[in-house]
């Protein structure tokens, strides 16, 4: 048994489908590769906050360091000037003791400074107990002061400043800034997580609304009145999808009902005629009549099933095999000649106007034209002309069939391409093998070629057709 004839293959169970969708969503949530938008935003917000606070703290630290360095250089420069002035006041060797007393008084209690002078051939340090060479943080300056009372005429001076206090303060400042940046990052992360959670509440609300949408309530839509402006395009598109889904669901139910209706009548006819043939004794001629009648019904059923299979294949997205049809008019004349008897039977005549070349499947194009001509012949007034019009407009080849007959109401003009739709059913005879799939097949053929269908009905003139892609000719 093929897949199309299995009993379960034609059943549509919303509960089973929803259960499968729930399991699929649960599996997606359990997948380790699924990212959390809330976690992603929180992590990036924390990283950016830490980066921003780190930059600010770094600027503060380096600005403070530069201020300390500038203050240290200024302090050394000021003390340098004072020491130069004191040394320049010494005029003779006898004034050295006076200089020593002045320097002792000047450096008294200033253990962050150290002055080294070359007096009497030895290095003298001021003040007593000053910083030693082992100090870790020293900023020093070496300079010379003119001294005429010395043999070489200059005095070599080294002035050093202990910057360990500033270094300790900078270290404390660095740790304070780091703790502030880390604490600020944690605070921003916490507040950001709360803010992101609050900002994503509309998504949870939309998810709760979407969860309530079941096949029995497809007419409902998402309520976006209280949602943020950024969510409005998503809500509009989702509601549009719901509308298309509802329309498709309704069409599916109508399709199932129409299929059942179309199959019930010929099957009932076959069963009735077969039961009638089996009752009593029948002659060979009667049995042949029954078999001939049953064959006609079976052929009708075969045509219906073939049309349905064709539409199902088109729904799966197959495309047509494109070939260059140099003259649509010649192909239309062939199809028109085939329908000449049916047109004459209804008192109609045919004509072809215009011509063009297209890239299309010749067999499918012939089938679409045949369906359009059959539809026009069925509803055309006797004594009028059925016209096949071919033209090019806006880069598309327009192929239409025009007939004079009863106008189609505006509210029904968009439904004529629906499956099993038949306008004015009272005028349709079952022996015409009309199932209401002819124009649906035309629409399917147009989609296979990347085109579309159109229909116009004004006054008593009705035009139904399709658009195709024109053939591209290559120059050699």
């Amino acid at each position: 048994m093929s897949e199309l004839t299995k009993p379960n293959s034609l059943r549509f169970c919303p509960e089973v489908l929803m259960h499968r969708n729930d399991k699929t969503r649960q599996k997606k949530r359990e997948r380790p590769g699924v990212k959390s938008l809330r976690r992603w935003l929180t992590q990036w917000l924390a990283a950016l906050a830490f980066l921003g606070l780190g930059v600010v703290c770094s600027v503060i630290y380096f600005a403070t360091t530069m201020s300390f360095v500038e203050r240290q250089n200024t302090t050394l420069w000021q003390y340098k000037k004072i020491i130069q002035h004191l040394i320049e006041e010494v005029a003779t060797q006898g004034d050295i003791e006076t200089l020593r007393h002045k320097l002792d008084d000047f450096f008294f209690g200033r253990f962050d400074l150290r002055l080294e002078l070359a007096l009497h051939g030895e290095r003298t340090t001021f003040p007593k107990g000053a910083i030693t060479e082992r100090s870790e943080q020293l900023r020093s300056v070496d300079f010379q002061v003119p001294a005429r009372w010395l043999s070489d005429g200059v005095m070599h001076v080294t002035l050093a400043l202990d910057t360990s206090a500033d270094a300790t303060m900078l270290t404390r400042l660095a740790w304070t800034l780091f703790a502030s940046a880390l604490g600020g990052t944690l605070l921003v992360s916490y507040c950001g997580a709360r803010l992101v959670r609050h900002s994503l509440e509309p998504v949870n609300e939309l998810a709760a609304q979407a969860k309530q949408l079941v096949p029995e309530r497809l007419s409902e839509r998402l309520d976006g009145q209280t949602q943020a402006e950024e969510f409005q395009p998503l809500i509009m598109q989702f509601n549009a999808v719901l509308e298309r889904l509802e329309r498709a669901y309704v069409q599916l139910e109508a399709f199932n009902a129409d299929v059942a209706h179309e199959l019930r009548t010929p099957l009932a006819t076959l069963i009735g005629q077969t039961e009638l043939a089996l009752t009593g004794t029948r002659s060979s001629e009667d049995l042949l009549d029954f078999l001939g009648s049953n064959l006609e019904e079976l052929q009708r059923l075969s045509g219906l099933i073939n049309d349905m299979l064709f539409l199902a294949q088109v729904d799966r997205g197959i495309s047509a095999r494109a070939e260059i049809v140099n003259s649509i008019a010649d192909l239309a004349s062939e199809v028109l000649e085939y329908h000449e008897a049916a047109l004459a039977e209804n008192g109609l005549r045919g004509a072809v106007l215009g011509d063009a070349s297209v890239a299309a499947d010749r067999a499918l194009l012939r089938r679409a034209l045949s369906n359009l001509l059959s539809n026009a012949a069925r509803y055309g007034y006797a004594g009028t002309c059925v016209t096949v019009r071919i033209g090019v407009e806006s880069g598309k080849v327009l192929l239409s069939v025009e007939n004079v007959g009863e106008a189609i109401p505006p509210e029904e003009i968009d439904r004529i391409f629906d499956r099993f739709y038949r306008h004015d059913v009272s005028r349709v005879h079952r022996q015409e093998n009309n199932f209401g799939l002819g124009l649906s097949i035309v629409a399917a053929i147009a989609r296979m070629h990347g085109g579309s269908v159109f229909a116009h009905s004004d006054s008593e003139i009705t035009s139904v057709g399709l658009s195709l892609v024109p053939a591209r000719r290559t120059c050699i």
Side-chain angles (χ1 to χ4, degrees):
M1 184 179 292
S2 64
E3 291 295 331
L4 290 175
T5 58
K6 289 182 179 179
N8 293 333
S9 61
L10 296 178
R11 294 180 182 176
F12 177 77
C13 184
E15 292 78 7
V16 175
L17 181 60
M18 291 179 57
H19 179 66
R20 291 178 179 174
N21 291 338
D22 292 339
K23 292 179 66 178
T24 303
R25 287 193 293 268
Q26 184 178 2
K27 289 181 180 179
K28 288 183 178 181
R29 288 195 297 267
E30 294 175 353
R31 285 187 309 176
V34 177
K35 295 183 178 179
S36 171
L37 181 60
R38 183 174 60 191
R39 189 183 306 113
W40 182 82
L41 288 174
T42 302
Q43 291 174 352
W44 272 102
L45 185 61
L48 292 176
F50 185 75
L51 179 62
L53 292 175
V55 170
V56 173
C57 292
S58 299
V59 171
I60 294 175
Y61 177 80
F62 285 111
T64 305
T65 302
M66 295 303 297
S67 297
F68 281 3
V69 171
E70 183 179 358
R71 181 177 62 81
Q72 294 165 4
N73 291 332
T74 302
T75 301
L76 287 174
W77 181 82
Q78 291 175 349
Y79 284 130
K80 174 184 176 182
K81 291 299 182 181
I82 294 173
I83 292 170
Q84 284 179 344
H85 177 70
L86 292 176
I87 295 175
E88 288 175 354
E89 288 181 346
V90 178
T92 63
Q93 289 281 353
D95 296 332
I96 293 179
E97 291 298 326
T98 304
L99 174 64
R100 188 187 300 274
H101 288 298
K102 288 182 179 180
L103 292 176
D104 286 336
D105 294 339
F106 180 77
F107 284 100
F108 179 78
R110 298 179 181 177
F111 296 102
D112 58 335
L113 289 174
R114 185 185 69 181
L115 177 65
E116 291 185 358
L117 299 177
L119 296 176
H120 301 295
E122 61 181 14
R123 304 290 293 182
T124 304
T125 303
F126 298 92
K128 295 179 180 180
I131 54 176
T132 64
E133 295 290 345
R134 292 191 298 272
S135 299
E136 296 180 357
Q137 301 292 337
L138 287 178
R139 183 177 294 274
S140 61
V141 57
D142 296 328
F143 58 95
Q144 296 177 350
V145 180
R148 293 185 300 274
W149 40 272
L150 292 177
S151 58
D152 53 359
V154 293
M155 178 178 288
H156 298 279
V157 181
T158 299
L159 180 64
L161 176 66
D162 185 6
T163 61
S164 58
D166 292 345
T168 302
M169 183 176 294
L170 287 176
T171 302
R172 292 176 180 176
L173 177 64
W175 283 107
T176 302
L177 292 175
F178 177 76
S180 300
L182 187 60
T185 301
L186 295 177
L187 179 61
V188 171
S189 301
Y190 175 75
C191 296
R194 296 290 298 269
L195 180 61
V196 170
R197 182 188 297 272
H198 178 72
S199 301
L200 293 180
E201 282 299 324
V203 178
N204 298 330
E205 183 180 348
L206 290 176
Q209 293 185 31
K211 188 177 180 181
Q212 303 298 323
L213 300 176
V214 294
E216 293 77 11
R217 302 170 60 181
L218 284 180
S219 59
E220 298 183 4
R221 298 291 182 268
L222 294 182
D223 184 11
Q225 296 181 356
T226 60
Q227 301 297 330
E229 180 181 356
E230 289 75 12
F231 288 104
Q232 296 303 320
L234 175 63
I235 295 173
M236 293 177 58
Q237 293 299 325
F238 191 83
N239 286 337
V241 172
L242 288 178
E243 184 176 355
R244 292 194 295 269
L245 179 62
E246 180 187 11
R247 186 164 57 249
Y249 191 78
V250 172
Q251 290 178 353
L252 178 61
E253 291 182 338
F255 176 77
N256 292 336
D258 290 333
V259 169
H261 176 74
E262 295 295 338
L263 294 177
R264 181 179 59 183
T265 302
L267 287 176
T269 301
L270 289 172
I271 293 173
Q273 290 183 354
T274 304
E275 289 178 347
L276 183 61
L278 293 176
T279 58
T281 303
R282 302 291 178 180
S283 62
S284 300
E285 291 79 5
D286 293 336
L287 292 176
L288 288 176
D289 291 337
F290 284 125
L291 291 175
S293 178
N294 289 350
L295 180 60
E296 292 179 359
E297 293 297 333
L298 290 173
Q299 288 175 345
R300 294 182 68 251
L301 287 176
S302 177
L304 173 61
I305 293 174
N306 289 333
D307 290 343
M308 292 172 57
L309 287 175
F310 175 77
L311 292 174
Q313 291 175 351
V314 176
D315 290 339
R316 286 198 296 267
I318 65 172
S319 58
R321 176 177 55 87
E323 58 179 299
I324 302 299
V325 180
N326 293 317
S327 176
I328 303 179
D330 293 342
L331 188 143
S333 299
E334 296 176 4
V335 179
L336 190 60
E337 182 179 357
Y338 175 78
H339 287 268
E340 186 175 355
L343 293 173
E345 183 179 354
N346 294 332
L348 300 171
R349 64 184 186 277
V352 178
L353 297 179
D355 195 6
S357 60
V358 293
D361 189 304
R362 185 179 296 270
L364 292 178
L365 187 58
R366 184 181 290 108
R367 184 175 184 180
L369 271 173
S370 180
N371 289 350
L372 291 173
L373 286 170
S374 298
N375 184 74
R378 186 176 299 113
Y379 297 106
Y381 288 157
T384 60
C385 181
V386 175
T387 306
V388 179
R389 293 189 179 274
I390 306 167
V392 179
E393 182 178 340
S394 301
K396 292 284 188 178
V397 175
L398 302 182
L399 174 60
S400 63
V401 176
E402 183 181 285
N403 70 289
V404 179
E406 182 180 352
I408 303 176
E411 62 274 10
E412 298 185 16
I413 194 68
D414 294 332
R415 298 182 53 199
I416 63 174
F417 296 102
D418 294 344
R419 298 173 186 181
F420 296 108
Y421 175 79
R422 285 172 290 197
H423 173 61
D424 193 7
V425 180
S426 61
R427 297 182 54 194
V428 179
H429 304 286
R430 298 195 59 82
Q431 60 268 25
E432 295 177 355
N433 293 332
N434 176 52
F435 298 104
L437 295 177
L439 294 184
S440 299
I441 293 176
V442 173
I445 293 174
R447 291 198 305 271
M448 292 175 66
H449 291 86
S452 60
V453 290
F454 57 88
H456 306 286
S457 186
D458 187 13
S459 183
E460 293 184 345
I461 300 178
T462 300
S463 177
V464 182
L466 68 160
S467 64
L468 299 170
V469 179
R472 296 181 179 178
R473 302 184 181 276
T474 59
C475 298
I476 301 178

